Amino acid sequence: MTRIDFHSNVPDKFHFACRLVRKARAADSKIVLKADRQDLAALDAALWTFSADEFVPHVQAGDALAAQTPVILTADDNAELPHHQILINLSGTPPANFARFERLIEIVAAADTDAAAGRVRYKYYLGQGYQLNHFVAA
């Protein structure tokens, strides 16, 4: 069963996601980042700029290099994905195929609208019978 972790009250979702990706890559994990379509460019830019000393190799789902790239970006629930280890969700809805992944990390911003959407997703996963882990950003 997929392990689901919620990180809430996050001040900057993209920066937080970049830190999680860095940590997961240090453990040699492969990651899919799901975001709403209008946020993909900002997420891509964040991965390029969050640290002056590091590079996070990443491509969009469907790219010819996706199978060889450890970090995949997508907005499409139906995208063909080359790996299913960690899914980081930055979108406002539960990913349709999250159960294919070993682990799902939900990032919920401190903003009221994102927090409300996060509560809806939390209740959805509970209703599906998942045990959830919750971490509140300080």
Side-chain angles (χ1 to χ4, degrees):
M1 182 173 263
T2 302
R3 173 184 167 177
I4 302 176
D5 298 329
F6 268 79
H7 292 267
S8 64
N9 201 38
V10 172
D12 182 335
K13 286 172 63 166
F14 297 141
H15 184 74
F16 193 85
C18 289
R19 289 180 33 223
L20 286 177
V21 167
R22 176 175 52 197
K23 186 175 181 180
R25 286 300 306 138
D28 204 31
S29 296
K30 294 182 178 179
I31 304 107
V32 173
L33 288 151
K34 181 172 185 294
D36 293 325
R37 191 161 310 282
Q38 69 270 14
D39 293 331
L40 280 180
L43 180 57
D44 178 56
L47 285 166
W48 280 102
T49 61
F50 88 101
S51 173
D53 301 332
E54 299 174 63
F55 169 68
V56 177
H58 63 281
V59 296
Q60 297 271 340
D63 188 281
L65 296 174
Q68 298 98 316
T69 307
V71 180
I72 307 295
L73 308 181
T74 189
D76 184 1
D77 274 328
N78 299 313
E80 182 124 356
L81 301 170
H83 45 75
H84 297 91
Q85 199 168 14
I86 298 174
L87 173 60
I88 298 176
N89 187 28
L90 298 158
S91 76
T93 59
N97 299 316
F98 73 90
R100 293 181 183 170
F101 288 82
E102 296 171 26
R103 185 172 180 194
L104 168 63
I105 300 173
E106 286 278 354
I107 300 177
V108 182
D112 290 343
T113 54
D114 204 56
R119 284 190 289 276
V120 170
R121 293 192 311 275
Y122 193 93
K123 289 177 187 175
Y124 171 78
Y125 298 124
L126 278 178
Q128 299 294 310
Y130 286 88
Q131 182 176 349
L132 307 177
N133 304 298
H134 183 211
F135 307 95
V136 179

